[in-house]
Amino acid sequence: MKRGDFVAGAIGVAIGGGALFMAADFPADVVMKIGPAFFPDMLAGLFLICSAALMVSAALAKTVPGVVEDPPPVRGLSLENGILRAVVTVIAVIAFVVALRPVGFLITSTVFLTAMMGLLGLRKPVLMVAVSLGITAGVYIIFEKLLGLTLPAGILESVLY
Amino acid sequence: MKRRSVLVGLGAAALIGAVPFSASAAEWPAKPITMICPWSAGGGTDLLLRKLAASLAKETKQTVVVSNNTGGGGAIGHAAIMRAPADGYTIGMITFELNSLPPQGLIPFTWKDFDPIMRINVDAPALTVKADSPMKNLKDFADYAKAHPDDVTIGNSGPGSVWHIAAAMMADELGIKAKYVPFDGAAPAVTALVGGHLTAVSVSVAEVRSQVAGGNLKMLGVMGETRSDLFPDVPTFSEQGVKATFGTWRGIALPKGVPAETRAKIAKALKAAYDDPEFQEFAKNAGLALAYQNDKDFTAFLDKNANDVHRVMLSLGLAKK
Amino acid sequence: MDFALLYHSFGNVFVPSVMLVIAFGVAIGITIGALPGLTATMGVALLVPLTFGRPPLESLSMLLGLFCGAMYGGSISAILVRTPGTPAAAATVLEGYPLAQQGQAGRALAMALFASFCGGLSGALIMTFMSPLISSVALEFSTVEYFALAVFGLSVIVSISGNSILKGIMAGLFGLLLSTIGADAISGYPRFIFGQMDLFEGPPFIPTLIGLFAVSEVLANVQITKQIVRVKTVVDRYFPTWADIKISAVTIARGSLIGTFIGAIPGAGGDIAAFVSYGETKRVSKHPEKFGTGAIEGVAAAECANNACSGGAMIPLLSLGVPGDAVTAVLLGAFVLQGLQPGPLLYKEHIDIVYNVFASLIVANFAMLIIGALGIRLFAKVIMVKRAILMPAILVLSVVGSYAMRGDTFDVYVMLVFGVVGYFMQKHDFPLSPILLALILGPMAEANLRRSLVISGGDFSIIFSRPIAVGLLILAVGSLIASVYNHRKIQNRLAAASGLEGE
């Protein structure tokens, strides 16, 4: 039994089934038999079959003895816990995006970069802030000044323009 | 290190300067202006707006920022304009899709939820066929279509798009049946016609311009109120006895609620930007048919256009109700 | 072909002001190409306003330089941080990143540059000498041929499936299903959008790409606790070794032809060309088992094809006035702003401009070679940057790159979702590239099949009425069978090899 593949197959079956279910409501084309539902139906059907095949083969697969699938991970609320760090990273990006418009790119980006460097184990505050400011300024110059794409100014609006 | 202290200084200044100040009509524009473009950066609408924004900046001596809020076939950007603060510092570009999205049930608002300021351009479609086709005018086309009812294909720029509606209007007025083939934009439709894979296309004069000038395609008629400046030899539909005019348009609008005094100031500044020779030259080079209208005329135009579009979309089965 | 005029055009280009703008264009292009989220198309589009009011030769030369540079630039981030800087560099990741991980970033970068140059130059030369012939073939492509071409492209999925064909096909089907999200290309009916108008035009492509590749890699990287012994990267060269060139020579020749031709077909661009070239190279290789673990020919195949595309895409633009890909569609606008109408008329009235474009594109490729070579040492330094700095920097670039195009935070969330999806897929040995290929080719296949059926009135026999389409479909089936056979061979060899190691 390969657990990862079994779960992946199950998710695939769910997605395929869900797509088939939703596509049933698509309107039929007046002129032809092939309407908006034709491709989604076909693809979702094939996807469902492949996913089911993966589930079956995963269920039948023998676990190779002596092979540990993952090294024993560090658990608990510590920065040594890799999974936790990945989760924190995702949350940090969400926070970055939420703050982007109201606070503005320059501040949000600098804070985000510094915080992420801290999360990844850097412990030199001056270097962290300096590098963060440098990266932020570089991105800002390329996007705003060179290409004319607007990044949110946020609370710095009255200063920047 | 120097750069850092400068930025820290800037940050501190920002906190002090961020105190909101109210701008009354008398001093508009007292701060930077944002113009919302409902289409993506680098496209035709975007280029036009950026040029207008540059002229507006020159006129008002203020920074004018163009912000692209795109997606949903224009729905996202138009919604963003509607919801923008009504302080006169967010100005939006509205396009034809504002009238074709509501009948499809894709946006819950209409042009009536905006304050139209001015119309910029109207580009008319043309019925265009291969240059070596024996057809010479709309009547020939109608005759051919009646003789070959299953063979006539007219390419357009997308389902429910302005040129799809144009094709349906043409067919309706000519009393013929045709298959409308939607492409992903006008260019691939034109290419397919050049390759001989379609009977005709119903896209704008500007979009077939180079192929017509190059001798690959020819126009049987333009659907504008007047002949095109680019091809003054091609007669309009009306001249050929087919009473139909149509076209895509672009204009400027404000969210509802901007004080009338400010609105007048904005309209005046925009008209001056529109009259800027630099802007005029740009539009001419891009092949755009400039067609200024003031707020009142533009409002009347929008009303008629919305009704026309709705009616045709109903007949095409594209409108929900 | 007017050689005197061509000679004269080189004279026009070899003046300081033009050479300078070409160099400027190339340098900006490489930067834009290397940054995730900024594509060649966007770079050209955003710099078009800069050229307004300048002389045509200077404006067009700069944009052509940018085009060249950006096509190459995409490979830098693909090799160093597994993030294709442009969609066209997605196939470069497959071999380039494994090479970088083995400390051979310099070798991969040098090959990417060399192959880009060879491909770009071949494309430019073919454009110069064979434009009329190729553009007449390109015009033969009707909706039926586009459908067949998309099917042929999809057959490459088996080649890029990695260890399990089943998982590769699942990834491909997943991508195809994703590509049906949004307004239906024929009826306009919005499918699977869950009431989100942001999805009306389908899942935003660039954020999806950035999420799948860049963000998923960052999520895997932040989990590594111990400072692993850093891969020692020696960058001691600007050019590939003679041995590497010998291995890749045939690949580069084939990739250049594939790239130029696919580029010349309106609507098919560098991303498709790179994958097709990669798939073909792997299929005919004597040691296909090395692919996926850092085969230098794989880098060459992808990079020469996507650069050859630039020359190819210019062919229909100049001779027909029809852009060959997304970048040339923007270039069309730049021509028009100069008061020039590409197409038959340009050949009649401004043949000098046409030849100047030939000369500039050829020169731009040389400029790319020189500037790229000077930059290699600098680029390769990226890999030496501490992970604690590099990962946050990639995240910021990913967020900004996803956000800037539409100014929409929705796109950044899309990026994040695909980052998480990509992370789990990667962890369970699902290949990611098939999703990308499917997202590019799915809409092309579906829309063109259904367009064909609109034209034929629902009659399927239209597909078999056209010889080029039938030929492409037979090729697709042939390539599929060959790839499956090839996959068996690879599995057997790998099994034999691990057996030997075990003893």
Side-chain angles (χ1 to χ4, degrees):
Chain A
M1 170 91 174
K2 278 186 179 166
R3 229 183 71 213
D5 284 1
F6 189 79
V7 174
I11 294 173
V13 168
I15 294 176
L20 276 176
F21 180 74
M22 286 182 70
D25 286 344
F26 292 174
D29 197 295
V30 259
V31 196
M32 286 162 298
K33 282 161 235 127
I34 291 202
F38 178 77
F39 262 72
D41 277 345
M42 184 181 74
L43 297 168
L46 284 171
F47 190 58
L48 207 149
I49 294 169
C50 288
S51 304
L54 185 71
M55 280 176 80
V56 172
S57 84
L60 295 178
K62 285 191 196 110
T63 316
V64 185
V67 177
V68 185
E69 283 200 356
D70 283 310
V74 181
R75 302 269 176 213
L77 290 174
S78 141
L79 280 185
E80 295 294 299
N81 181 345
I83 310 278
L84 184 68
R85 272 208 310 234
V87 173
V88 172
T89 304
V90 171
I91 294 170
V93 174
I94 294 175
F96 182 9
V97 182
V98 169
L100 191 58
R101 282 220 181 121
V103 183
F105 168 73
L106 290 178
I107 295 175
T108 325
S109 163
T110 311
V111 172
F112 172 81
L113 282 165
T114 313
M116 279 301 298
M117 288 176 198
L119 177 72
L120 295 183
L122 219 57
R123 290 291 175 267
K124 294 173 189 150
V126 177
L127 174 85
M128 283 155 68
V129 174
V131 172
S132 300
L133 281 171
I135 295 172
T136 304
V139 171
Y140 180 79
I141 288 168
I142 292 179
F143 279 78
E144 282 258 354
K145 298 301 162 197
L146 184 67
L147 299 175
L149 288 168
T150 322
L151 296 172
I155 53 175
L156 291 184
E157 189 178 346
S158 49
V159 182
L160 290 176
Y161 299 123
Chain B
M1 270 322 86
K2 224 173 186 175
R3 186 197 279 154
R4 186 170 142 237
S5 53
V6 170
L7 274 177
V8 169
L10 278 179
L15 291 176
I16 302 159
V19 184
F21 50 92
S22 63
S24 73
E27 55 201 44
W28 188 93
K31 61 171 188 167
I33 301 160
T34 303
M35 297 189 89
I36 294 180
C37 176
W39 301 97
S40 57
T45 305
D46 176 67
L47 275 179
L48 183 74
L49 183 59
R50 278 174 195 262
K51 271 291 148 196
L52 187 70
S55 295
L56 184 66
K58 220 162 55 178
E59 178 63 29
T60 56
K61 313 250 176 340
Q62 265 294 0
T63 313
V64 182
V65 191
V66 173
S67 162
N68 300 90
N69 292 44
T70 64
I76 307 276
H78 284 108
I81 299 167
M82 191 181 69
R83 287 195 217 106
D87 57 2
Y89 291 97
T90 307
I91 301 173
M93 172 161 249
I94 57 173
T95 62
F96 170 83
E97 286 69 19
L98 182 56
N99 279 345
S100 65
L101 289 169
Q104 300 177 70
L106 293 172
I107 49 175
F109 52 87
T110 68
W111 69 270
K112 288 179 183 152
D113 297 295
F114 297 79
D115 273 334
I117 296 297
M118 73 170 188
R119 186 174 80 177
I120 299 175
N121 74 312
V122 177
D123 278 305
L127 186 64
T128 309
V129 296
K130 285 230 5 155
D132 54 17
S133 147
M135 296 176 230
K136 287 195 182 62
N137 50 43
L138 292 178
K139 190 179 166 299
D140 290 352
F141 189 85
D143 290 345
Y144 176 84
K146 280 167 191 156
H148 307 83
D150 288 333
D151 287 349
V152 176
T153 49
I154 306 179
N156 64 59
S157 51
S161 69
V162 58
W163 307 139
H164 187 180
I165 297 165
M169 274 179 104
M170 290 176 187
D172 197 29
E173 295 290 336
L174 291 171
I176 58 167
K177 273 179 100 176
K179 294 172 190 160
Y180 311 115
V181 191
F183 284 81
D184 187 14
V190 174
T191 312
L193 179 63
V194 174
H197 312 299
L198 293 171
T199 317
V201 294
S202 56
V203 303
S204 79
V205 177
E207 281 151 345
V208 291
R209 170 187 180 190
S210 67
Q211 297 299 337
V212 171
N216 285 332
L217 302 179
K218 70 178 171 197
M219 292 186 275
L220 301 180
V222 284
M223 223 174 168
E225 280 159 25
T226 56
R227 294 187 179 199
S228 159
D229 288 342
L230 296 168
F231 298 97
D233 297 341
V234 181
T236 62
F237 272 49
S238 314
E239 287 174 55
Q240 302 184 48
V242 183
K243 295 270 168 268
T245 59
F246 191 65
T248 187
W249 50 263
R250 297 187 182 98
I252 299 291
L254 291 173
K256 281 261 182 214
V258 179
E261 205 183 325
T262 314
R263 223 162 54 214
K265 282 199 149 190
I266 294 171
K268 199 170 150 239
L270 279 165
K271 176 68 168 69
Y274 172 92
D275 287 331
D276 185 353
E278 229 173 88
F279 177 75
Q280 292 280 333
E281 192 202 334
F282 169 86
K284 188 167 159 270
N285 285 357
L288 293 168
L290 288 180
Y292 173 83
Q293 272 185 338
N294 64 18
D295 51 351
K296 227 179 242 148
D297 295 343
F298 189 28
T299 306
F301 167 83
L302 285 173
D303 194 26
K304 179 177 181 305
N305 184 260
N307 287 331
D308 285 352
V309 170
H310 194 161
R311 182 169 44 78
V312 179
M313 292 189 93
L314 269 178
S315 73
L316 275 173
L318 283 165
K320 284 220 164 145
K321 50 190 183 311
Chain C
M1 192 73 239
D2 187 337
F3 285 95
L5 191 56
L6 188 62
Y7 181 75
H8 181 72
S9 296
F10 274 109
N12 291 341
V13 175
F14 280 121
V15 293
S17 65
V18 178
M19 297 297 280
L20 208 68
V21 293
I22 291 183
F24 173 75
V26 168
I28 301 269
I30 294 179
T31 316
I32 286 177
L35 291 173
L38 290 177
T39 61
T41 317
M42 207 170 161
V44 174
L46 292 169
L47 288 191
V48 163
L50 265 191
T51 67
F52 190 62
R54 305 263 168 82
L57 178 58
E58 280 176 30
S59 312
L60 296 174
S61 302
M62 184 186 87
L63 296 175
L64 288 171
L66 199 153
F67 190 5
C68 270
M71 280 312 231
Y72 158 64
S75 71
I76 299 169
S77 36
I79 291 169
L80 295 175
V81 290
R82 191 170 163 270
T83 303
T86 62
T92 311
V93 171
L94 295 168
E95 305 302 328
Y97 187 62
L99 278 169
Q101 282 189 312
Q102 295 156 23
Q104 302 186 37
R107 183 175 167 223
L109 284 172
M111 178 50 86
L113 178 63
F114 178 74
S116 290
F117 167 72
C118 292
L121 190 64
S122 316
L125 290 174
I126 295 174
M127 166 183 93
T128 307
F129 294 105
M130 291 169 68
S131 269
L133 179 73
I134 291 182
S135 56
S136 65
V137 178
L139 269 188
E140 285 301 308
F141 270 61
S142 73
T143 52
V144 184
E145 280 81 7
Y146 280 111
F147 165 68
L149 181 66
V151 172
F152 174 61
L154 285 170
S155 72
V156 173
I157 285 181
V158 175
S159 278
I160 54 175
S161 280
N163 293 329
S164 155
I165 290 190
L166 180 63
K167 287 184 176 177
I169 290 177
M170 277 179 72
L173 285 169
F174 179 59
L176 286 171
L177 261 180
L178 286 176
S179 80
T180 63
I181 294 176
D184 171 28
I186 305 301
S187 69
Y189 181 79
R191 304 186 289 198
F192 305 121
I193 66 167
F194 305 96
Q196 290 284 333
M197 276 313 277
D198 281 292
L199 285 174
F200 190 73
E201 283 150 4
F205 183 64
I206 297 294
T208 308
L209 169 83
I210 295 176
L212 281 177
F213 287 90
V215 178
S216 72
E217 183 71 3
V218 171
L219 289 180
N221 255 288
V222 296
Q223 297 194 24
I224 304 170
T225 12
K226 279 193 210 123
Q227 271 299 340
I228 38 160
V229 185
R230 200 174 296 156
V231 187
K232 201 163 159 45
T233 302
V234 189
V235 183
D236 52 354
R237 57 179 56 259
Y238 303 114
F239 286 102
T241 57
W242 182 237
D244 277 354
I245 293 178
K246 245 176 24 194
I247 300 176
S248 310
V250 180
T251 299
I252 289 178
R254 183 177 43 237
S256 302
L257 291 180
I258 292 177
T260 312
F261 187 71
I262 291 186
I265 297 168
D271 33 22
I272 301 178
F275 273 112
V276 169
S277 170
Y278 176 86
E280 287 304 296
T281 300
K282 182 178 174 187
R283 199 168 57 73
V284 302
S285 167
K286 289 201 187 73
H287 47 83
E289 71 277 5
K290 285 194 184 153
F291 280 72
T293 62
I296 195 84
E297 312 96 283
V299 174
E303 277 305 308
C304 72
N306 68 30
N307 277 71
C309 244
S310 358
M314 292 297 293
I315 291 174
L317 177 68
L318 288 176
S319 50
L320 303 172
V322 168
D325 66 355
V327 185
T328 41
V330 180
L331 277 177
L332 175 65
F335 272 94
V336 169
L337 283 183
Q338 292 287 343
L340 300 166
Q341 279 292 336
L345 207 61
L346 193 68
Y347 269 81
K348 267 182 226 156
E349 290 174 0
H350 294 286
I351 188 74
D352 54 324
I353 300 270
V354 175
Y355 276 74
N356 282 341
V357 168
F358 291 162
S360 329
L361 191 62
I362 293 172
V363 171
N365 273 291
F366 280 94
M368 178 190 80
L369 182 68
I370 296 165
I371 296 175
L374 293 175
I376 282 187
R377 265 166 208 267
L378 187 72
F379 306 146
K381 287 225 168 77
V382 168
I383 214 167
M384 309 299 282
V385 173
K386 267 204 174 93
R387 194 166 52 214
I389 292 175
L390 187 60
M391 293 303 139
I394 293 177
L395 279 178
V396 164
L397 281 173
S398 302
V399 169
V400 175
S402 301
Y403 174 83
M405 189 72 187
R406 303 208 297 185
D408 190 347
T409 46
F410 178 85
D411 288 4
V412 191
Y413 293 120
V414 169
M415 172 203 87
L416 203 55
V417 167
F418 279 104
V420 175
V421 170
Y423 165 75
F424 280 108
M425 288 185 65
Q426 190 80 4
K427 200 171 172 187
H428 293 289
D429 206 23
F430 282 90
L432 297 175
S433 321
I435 301 186
L436 205 63
L437 196 60
L439 278 173
I440 297 165
L441 293 171
M444 187 169 159
E446 182 188 6
N448 282 301
L449 175 64
R450 291 186 41 211
R451 239 167 241 152
S452 309
L453 291 172
V454 170
I455 291 171
S456 75
D459 185 357
F460 272 95
S461 67
I462 187 174
I463 296 166
F464 305 103
S465 68
R466 301 190 58 96
I468 300 182
V470 173
L472 280 168
L473 288 173
I474 292 174
L475 265 179
V477 174
S479 147
L480 204 65
I481 294 171
S483 304
V484 172
Y485 173 75
N486 213 6
H487 185 82
R488 285 262 170 88
K489 199 164 77 186
I490 296 169
Q491 295 300 325
N492 289 341
R493 285 199 194 169
L494 286 177
S498 68
L500 280 178
E501 267 168 36
E503 277 161 18

